[in-house]
Amino acid sequence: MLNNKRIAVVMPAYNAAQTLEKTFSEIPRDIVDTVILVDDASKDFTVAVAQKLGIAVVVHPKNRGYGGNQKTCYIEALKSGADIIIMLHPDYQYSPKLIRAMASMIAEADYDVVLGSRILGIGALAGGMPLYKYVANRFLTFFQNLFCSHKLPEYHTGYRA
């Protein structure tokens, strides 16, 4: 809780067993009230790792795709009574250490939305983003900025509050 706001971290997961524990270990539990992982029919041990860590888990028996997974994440967070929802991919391409800063920006009523970026900082490619996704992301972001008259580094981020 931060500024009397309940904080939920949601993690849309698909085959995240290898990076889930590292991601979860860096979530600031002193301010985060709930962590929810939504598994989108992973073929690895993502659910077992999440259960071992004590994370609340929702499992899709059939893969619903990224959009379907996000919808379930947000529905479950709202059911838990969250005032602030932070989506964090469990693939460790984003630092969970920024959760406190992102939540503070919303809890203090300065911002309605906060977007994290893997393009800034050490860079997406160095962080493990596949080249084809990087090129597609940059292409789409360029045109979205052009059409919306904005200058965001990334619209398609898996780290948002």
Side-chain angles (χ1 to χ4, degrees):
M1 191 167 290
L2 192 62
N3 200 23
N4 293 320
K5 307 271 191 230
R6 291 186 45 80
I7 300 170
V9 171
V10 294
M11 295 191 287
Y14 181 73
N15 294 338
Q18 291 184 351
T19 53
L20 177 56
E21 188 168 0
K22 182 176 182 180
T23 303
F24 180 72
S25 71
E26 292 184 11
I27 293 173
R29 299 297 308 204
D30 60 320
I31 64 162
V32 172
D33 301 288
T34 308
V35 177
I36 303 166
L37 181 132
V38 178
D39 182 78
D40 205 22
S42 291
K43 295 176 180 16
D44 67 0
F45 299 104
T46 299
V47 172
V49 172
Q51 290 170 335
K52 181 188 93 172
L53 294 170
I55 300 171
V57 178
V58 175
V59 179
H60 289 162
K62 182 179 176 189
N63 189 294
R64 295 186 186 174
Y66 183 56
N69 196 329
Q70 282 188 67
K71 287 177 189 175
T72 303
C73 283
Y74 293 130
I75 288 167
E76 294 299 319
L78 292 171
K79 283 183 191 174
S80 78
D83 299 301
I84 298 171
I85 303 169
I86 299 176
M87 183 175 70
L88 170 66
H89 285 192
D91 61 4
Y92 205 75
Q93 286 191 21
Y94 305 95
S95 173
K97 295 174 183 175
L98 296 175
I99 288 172
R100 185 179 312 278
M102 293 172 77
S104 292
M105 293 171 79
I106 298 207
E108 301 300 326
D110 291 327
Y111 299 94
D112 296 322
V113 175
V114 178
L115 300 176
S117 176
R118 59 193 155 181
I119 302 300
L120 303 173
I122 65 165
L125 294 173
M129 185 180 198
L131 181 61
Y132 76 93
K133 284 187 179 182
Y134 177 81
V135 171
N137 184 303
R138 302 310 304 140
F139 178 79
L140 289 171
T141 296
F142 172 78
F143 282 103
Q144 285 175 294
N145 278 329
L146 188 68
F147 291 126
C148 296
S149 299
H150 291 303
K151 198 171 183 181
L152 294 175
E154 179 180 16
Y155 283 84
H156 314 280
T157 179
Y159 203 15
R160 61 187 74 202

